[in-house]
Amino acid sequence: GYLPEALLNFLGLMGYSSPDGEEMFELDTMLRDFDVKRISTSSPVFDMDKLLWLNGEYIRADGEAQLTQRILDHVAYRRGRGLTPDPEEAEVLAWIDAHGGFEGEAVRAMVGRTIPLIQERIKTLQEYAPLARCFFATDVSGFSQEEMVPKKRNAGEVEDVLRGVIKALQTLEPWDTPSIEALLRKLCEEYTWKARELFQPVRVACTGSKISPPLFETIELLGRETTLARLEAAVEV
C-alpha cells in the first residue's frame, strides 16, 4: 500500500538533504537540485515510521479521482497475485464483484464517494478496506453490547436512545450531513447526554466499530434504509 512517489522520496532522503530543507519532493526536483556535496557520510537509517508518515502525506495530496484509481488498482493487484484478503478486504471485493467489477461505473462512483471520508485517516492503501468496510459490508452487527454502552450508562438507556434516533431519522428531511448532525445534537440535549456518549452507540451500530469515518457524513452515504436497518439490529443486541 505504499505509493511509488513516496518511496522514491523516502529513498532520496536517506543520506541526503534537499537544498531548501523540504522533506517532500518529486523525482524531477531531486534530479534538478542534486549536489554530491550534500551526501552524508554517516550510515542512513531506514525509518519505517518516517516512510509511513511520508506515504500518508502523498495520499492526502492526491486528487479524488487519482486516489480512487490507486485504491482499485491496489485491491485488484492483490487479488491478481492470489493474496489472501483480510475479512474487510473480502467484503469490499464481494461488493465490487456484485456491482460490475473493477471497471464498473458504480464501483468507481462508490469508492470515489468514500474518498473524502477516509483520505485524511489512512497512511497506506491497505488501510482503506478496514476503515471503509461499513460502506460495502452487508452486515456490520458483529459487535458486542459492551462496545455500544458508554461509561456510566447502561444497556437499557442505550436501547431507549437508539429507539429515539430511529424514530427521528425515519422522517428526517433532507437526508444530508447538516440535517443529520443537527438532529443528533438535538437528541443529545433531549436525552441530556454528552455528544460523545450518544454518538458512540450510533457509530458502532452504523459502522460496526468505535473507529470509523466521520459519523454524520457516513450516515448520509449509507442512506436511510441501511442506517435504519443497522440501528434496528443494534437495538436487538
Side-chain angles (χ1 to χ4, degrees), residues 167-219:
K167 183 177 179 181
L169 288 176
Q170 284 174 337
T171 56
L172 177 67
E173 292 294 347
W175 186 270
D176 58 25
T177 294
S179 300
I180 292 166
E181 178 175 5
L183 182 146
L184 290 180
R185 293 195 182 280
K186 181 181 178 182
L187 289 175
C188 289
E189 297 176 3
E190 292 180 4
Y191 284 95
T192 63
W193 279 36
K194 295 178 181 179
R196 67 174 179 271
E197 291 180 319
L198 189 139
F199 295 168
Q200 178 179 326
V202 174
R203 184 186 306 278
V204 174
C206 292
T207 71
S209 174
K210 290 183 180 180
I211 302 172
S212 75
L215 179 60
F216 315 123
E217 292 86 344
T218 294
I219 291 175

Side-chain angles (χ1 to χ4, degrees), residues 6-160:
L7 187 55
L8 277 171
N9 191 157
F10 176 71
L11 293 173
L13 287 170
M14 296 184 69
Y16 186 77
S17 61
S18 65
D20 57 9
E22 292 292 328
E23 292 193 294
M24 288 187 67
F25 45 78
E26 297 179 352
L27 180 60
D28 288 344
T29 302
M30 196 188 315
L31 292 169
R32 183 194 68 202
D33 296 337
F34 180 79
D35 183 349
V36 70
K37 295 177 182 178
R38 298 189 66 82
I39 296 178
S40 171
T41 56
S42 60
S43 299
V45 177
F46 199 98
D47 185 346
M48 289 299 296
D49 290 336
K50 183 65 170 288
L51 174 57
L52 191 63
W53 167 80
L54 195 59
N55 201 65
E57 292 297 304
Y58 272 89
I59 283 176
R60 284 185 282 280
D62 262 355
E64 181 179 301
Q66 185 178 18
L67 187 54
T68 296
Q69 189 62 55
R70 285 192 200 267
I71 288 169
L72 289 172
D73 288 346
H74 176 72
V75 176
Y77 171 80
R78 283 175 52 79
R79 168 177 277 184
R81 291 294 299 273
L83 300 174
T84 302
D86 54 34
E88 296 88 358
E89 189 177 20
E91 289 177 309
V92 174
L93 282 167
W95 195 95
I96 289 173
D97 290 340
H99 292 80
F102 288 101
E103 301 303 320
E105 285 302 316
V107 169
R108 188 172 301 277
M110 184 58 176
V111 174
R113 291 180 69 190
T114 68
I115 295 301
L117 308 187
I118 58 88
Q119 189 166 12
E120 296 294 323
R121 291 166 167 76
I122 63 173
K123 293 182 179 178
T124 70
L125 300 178
Q126 189 63 19
E127 293 177 356
Y128 172 81
L131 189 60
R133 70 169 290 254
C134 60
F135 301 113
F136 302 93
T138 55
D139 181 14
V140 298
S141 62
F143 47 83
S144 66
Q145 184 182 97
E146 287 72 24
E147 290 177 272
M148 286 195 296
V149 180
K151 292 180 180 179
K152 300 181 180 180
R153 299 293 178 182
N154 60 56
E157 291 176 307
V158 171
E159 181 180 345
D160 289 342

